[in-house]
Amino acid sequence: MNNLQKLLSLAREAAARAYCPYSHFAVGAAIESTDGKFYSGCNVENVSYPVGTCAEAGAIAAMIAGGSKKIANILIYAPSQTLITPCGACRQRIAEFAVPETVIYLAQTDGIDKSCTVGELLPSSFSEF
Ligand code: THU
């Protein structure tokens, strides 16, 4: 299994464990860090809706807790026919741990549909103050 297939498989497994009783929309995210480790996360909703967290946030938290510092590749998966892209907040979250050239793979039921870069999804991002 190559690294991209591994990311897809991890994101699929995470999405299958998503806690999404309110939206019924499962999302999984998987990261390969620059030190060659793999992490994943799923969305975790809450009865107080804004408290819910996205799959990307879970995967980034797992990466940081696991001791890795930077995203080399990230894949976002939803078991849907429609392609999903990271929400605005998650674009900013990803940018914090990536470079503009970092690749984001977008996948749905049929597999990986598209790839783009962090810079394409969040141009001119806020980075320093
Ligand atoms: N969601 C994610 O996990 N990642 C995204 O980038 C977009 C949306 C989740 C949040 C919520 O649990 C569900 O998808 C529906 O919006």
Side-chain angles (χ1 to χ4, degrees), residues 68-92:
S68 299
K69 307 281 186 222
K70 282 273 179 191
I71 299 169
N73 299 295
I74 180 166
L75 183 147
I76 298 142
Y77 168 83
S80 131
Q81 294 300 326
T82 321
L83 187 67
I84 76 146
T85 61
C87 74
C90 286
R91 293 177 195 205
Q92 183 68 37

Side-chain angles (χ1 to χ4, degrees), residues 12-129:
R12 275 199 166 119
E13 285 167 13
R17 293 190 287 262
Y19 179 76
C20 51
Y22 307 105
S23 73
H24 303 287
F25 191 80
V27 183
I31 290 171
E32 180 184 5
S33 55
T34 52
D35 59 350
K37 295 184 181 171
F38 288 85
Y39 301 96
S40 64
C42 60
N43 52 331
V44 181
E45 296 184 348
N46 192 282
V47 66
S48 175
Y49 295 176
V51 179
T53 50
C54 285
E56 296 88 330
I60 289 169
M63 179 186 83
I64 295 300
S68 299
K69 307 281 186 222
K70 282 273 179 191
I71 299 169
N73 299 295
I74 180 166
L75 183 147
I76 298 142
Y77 168 83
S80 131
Q81 294 300 326
T82 321
L83 187 67
I84 76 146
T85 61
C87 74
C90 286
R91 293 177 195 205
Q92 183 68 37
R93 286 191 177 100
I94 293 165
E96 180 81 14
F97 300 101
V99 292
E101 297 74 32
T102 302
V103 177
I104 303 177
Y105 295 96
L106 305 171
Q108 34 92 336
T109 309
D110 297 332
I112 297 171
D113 217 57
K114 188 178 158 61
S115 69
C116 48
T117 66
V118 170
E120 285 167 343
L121 286 191
L122 191 66
S124 309
S125 69
F126 177 71
S127 57
E128 301 242 353
F129 56 89

